[in-house]
Amino acid sequence: MNGPAAGPIPPAPDWIATGPRKPGAPLLVTAELPEDVLSWADALRRAHYPPDRNRLPAHVTLFHALPPSVEEELLEVLRGLAKAPPPPACVTGLMKLGGGTALAIDSPQTTALHGAIAERMHGLLTRQDAQPLRLHVTIQNKVTAQAARALQDELGPRLRPLSFRFRAFGLYAWEDGLWRLIREITFRGGR
């Protein structure tokens, strides 16, 4: 016998696509948070996002819908950009989303990386992905403006700047509301 017997494989989270990959699914690119920041932001999301609508963990989306035909080129671009050290970032406060609230993130290097990817994907970006990047983690969405303001009034004064480094790019396929991880590309020296 070569090592301990493997235990049962835990079920995939309900936001992860399983089974055969769906052809034609658009691609998402994320900036992956370090575990401690992810845990903190996800706890805020679970506490304040309407539970019936909260299917995803906390995340930072760089691109929402790139065509699946660019997957190999996109992987090449992400691998090249990830040869750099993990980009520094800072949660600077709250971002108002109208019917929601997000943690605002400042990271000039990540914004520059986004620009480099956008340049390579020129002509293929959706309207949403062509907008100027406003890095954030949504912790509340699809609530009334009054509920959003209440959370902002409560959380805003207590929120302090939080510095961290993004650890990787995440490349996912969006399959009918579920995300399928294609690859995580770790920054040089990232974890």
Side-chain angles (χ1 to χ4, degrees):
M1 182 181 249
N2 294 332
I9 297 172
D14 64 0
W15 61 276
I16 294 287
T18 58
R21 189 162 168 194
K22 183 176 180 178
L27 303 175
L28 295 108
V29 178
T30 62
E32 297 291 313
L33 296 163
E35 288 301 319
D36 59 338
V37 177
L38 175 61
S39 294
W40 169 70
D42 200 47
L44 286 171
R45 186 176 170 102
R46 284 191 315 272
H48 301 291
Y49 210 102
D52 58 321
R53 296 179 182 267
N54 188 21
R55 295 186 61 194
L56 297 170
H59 58 279
V60 178
T61 305
L62 300 179
F63 292 93
H64 297 83
L66 292 169
S69 60
V70 302
E71 183 176 331
E72 289 306 314
E73 180 182 3
L74 186 55
L75 280 168
E76 176 186 317
V77 170
L78 296 175
R79 285 184 189 118
L81 295 173
K83 290 178 181 176
C90 184
V91 174
T92 57
L94 296 177
M95 180 184 293
K96 298 175 183 178
L97 302 177
T101 304
L103 301 171
I105 298 174
D106 181 50
S107 178
Q109 285 181 304
T110 304
T111 301
L113 293 170
H114 174 269
I117 299 165
E119 182 63 32
R120 278 291 290 271
M121 300 294 127
H122 180 74
L124 301 172
L125 301 179
T126 63
R127 181 184 218 164
Q128 182 180 21
D129 285 338
Q131 299 286 329
L133 183 64
R134 294 174 48 201
L135 291 168
H136 65 280
V137 177
T138 303
I139 59 170
Q140 177 194 51
N141 205 4
K142 312 237 190 273
V143 299
T144 66
Q146 181 180 8
R149 277 192 306 275
L151 176 60
Q152 292 154 17
D153 290 346
E154 173 197 335
L155 190 56
R158 296 184 297 147
L159 195 61
R160 299 290 173 257
L162 174 65
S163 296
F164 64 94
R165 289 183 175 269
F166 286 111
R167 60 180 185 76
F169 289 114
L171 178 60
Y172 299 84
W174 189 84
E175 300 180 2
D176 298 326
L178 300 178
W179 290 27
R180 178 185 300 275
L181 178 62
I182 297 170
R183 185 88 24 94
E184 188 172 280
I185 302 103
T186 305
F187 288 103
R188 182 173 51 100
R191 292 182 204 176

